[in-house]
Structures are given as C-alpha cells and as structure tokens.
Amino acid sequence: MKRLTASLFLVPLLLSASCQKEAGTPAPPATGEKPSATTSAAPKIKIGYVLHVLNDFTQVIKRGAEDAGRELGVDVEVVGPSSPEATEAIGMFESMIQKKKDALIVVPMPGDVWVKPIKEATDAKIPVATANMTSEQSTSESWFGQDEYQSGVILASEIRKSLEAEGKKSGKILAGICAPSVAVLQERYKGVKKGLEGSAYQITDAKDVGV
C-alpha cells in the first residue's frame, strides 16, 4: 500500500517533468537517417526529494519514494538533514537545482522560508511539488498530504480502542509534538482532542518533545 501511495504521488510530477522535457526535445531524424546513439533512447527522468529531516521515521518515506521510482523507471534521489533545520534542507534543495533535476519534491517546514528557494526552482523550469506541509505563497504546482485534523480524530479512536481492550476506561494521556509551531501538527492535536471528547480520558496540552 505504501508503494502504491508513493507511485500515485510521483505520477503527476512525472507528467509535469515530461512536459518540461518535451520543450527541448530534438526533432526526429529525417527519413532514411539512422538515429544516433544519443537520440535512440530517451534519458531517464531524474527527481529530487528533500525531506525536512531524515531519521528512522522518515526512512520509510525514503524507501517508498525509491521503490516507486524503480517501479516507474525513473531516478529518485531522496535526501534530508539529520535534524529539522530548514537552512540545511534548503541547501540540499538548491543543490538539486544545480544538478538540474527534472522535478523536485520537498517537505517545506516551515512553509514561509521555502517561498524563495521554490521560486528559484520554478524559474529554472523545474516543477516543484510539496508534500505533507504546504508553502502557500510559493510557486509550487501541487501539494500532496492528508487531512491532519481527521488524522488526529482517527488516532484518538485507535488510542481509545487500544486502552479499552486493556480494560483502561479512563486516565490521562500525555500528548507530545515534535514541532509545536507547525500548523499541520497543531491540527492533528486538535483532531486528537476532538476524538477523545465524550470519553473519560483527559489529554494534556501538547508538549514539545523534539525529534
């Protein structure tokens, strides 16, 4: 399922990257001419994927993107800083621009600092998609993610099922957020609170737990 999701995510970006390539595609050889070695096969599309952080959790995303790339016959390079530092991630993103990738994907955390680097990419005719988080003022052509509020509601439901299966009908639940200032995580926390309404469980304010 993870591979299918990753594949569906990459397909629209591949179409966009293909359109960019078509603009510079050389004319086919005249009748009777043999195609040269350089034009006989289309070059493999190259996609860069910059995560907000690369750790044990996001390794799953990395493997999914790479698996999807192999299935679709494209080259996917996934990178990310060891800690959620936007400056380092932006440096990696700009390196992808210099490598002249055909398309780029980024988790723009926080969105406002990514407006300029994303514009640099699109100005260079490289389509950019954002994942999980948004950069609303940017020139990114598409965003892929989930309803974070509803995700929190579902998470709360599963927590309740798990606790009730153990005979725990009430109690205090400690909530932790790795980046409290990030809007999508705030929405997820609100969803968890909503999902616990009507129960005997109490949830704490969201605590900053780092990454």
Side-chain angles (χ1 to χ4, degrees):
M1 183 65 178
K2 287 188 178 71
R3 276 201 227 168
L4 175 60
T5 301
S7 296
L8 291 174
F9 172 70
L10 289 177
V11 166
L13 198 59
L14 286 174
L15 294 174
S16 182
S18 297
C19 290
Q20 297 289 346
K21 273 187 170 290
E22 285 174 5
T25 302
T31 304
E33 288 184 15
K34 293 182 178 179
S36 66
T38 57
T39 60
S40 58
K44 183 179 285 190
I45 290 176
K46 297 180 180 180
I47 295 176
Y49 195 159
V50 181
L51 298 169
H52 59 304
V53 64
L54 190 56
N55 54 25
D56 291 343
F57 177 76
T58 57
Q59 281 288 345
V60 176
I61 301 174
K62 182 177 185 291
R63 290 196 300 270
E66 291 170 343
D67 286 349
R70 281 188 286 271
E71 290 181 3
L72 295 169
V74 301
D75 178 77
V76 180
E77 181 182 0
V78 185
V79 298
S82 58
S83 60
E85 294 293 335
T87 300
E88 188 175 351
I90 288 172
M92 293 176 173
F93 184 84
E94 291 174 338
S95 177
M96 295 282 192
I97 298 174
Q98 294 301 315
K99 290 180 180 179
K100 300 186 185 301
K101 297 290 186 180
D102 297 304
L104 292 171
I105 307 166
V106 63
V107 180
M109 188 180 85
D112 57 339
V113 304
W114 279 92
V115 173
K116 183 178 178 181
I118 289 174
K119 188 174 188 305
E120 289 176 3
T122 57
D123 284 350
K125 307 302 181 185
I126 301 174
V128 178
T130 56
N132 194 30
M133 300 175 188
T134 60
S135 179
E136 295 182 0
Q137 304 303 316
S138 76
T139 52
S140 171
E141 297 185 0
S142 54
W143 167 81
F144 295 84
Q146 62 183 352
D147 184 330
E148 295 294 343
Y149 181 86
Q150 187 60 30
S151 174
V153 172
I154 294 170
L155 178 59
S157 175
E158 293 303 312
I159 290 172
R160 290 177 64 168
K161 288 179 185 177
S162 178
L163 291 174
E164 289 168 0
E166 296 178 5
K168 299 174 182 177
K169 305 293 186 180
S170 63
K172 181 174 287 189
I173 297 173
L174 176 63
I177 293 184
C178 60
S181 63
V182 176
V184 293
L185 300 182
Q186 294 171 2
E187 286 300 304
R188 191 182 303 167
Y189 171 68
K190 291 176 184 177
V192 171
K193 289 181 67 176
K194 180 65 177 179
L196 292 174
E197 285 183 1
S199 73
Y201 301 108
Q202 295 179 323
I203 188 168
T204 67
D205 292 337
K207 309 298 182 182
D208 186 354
V209 296
V211 177

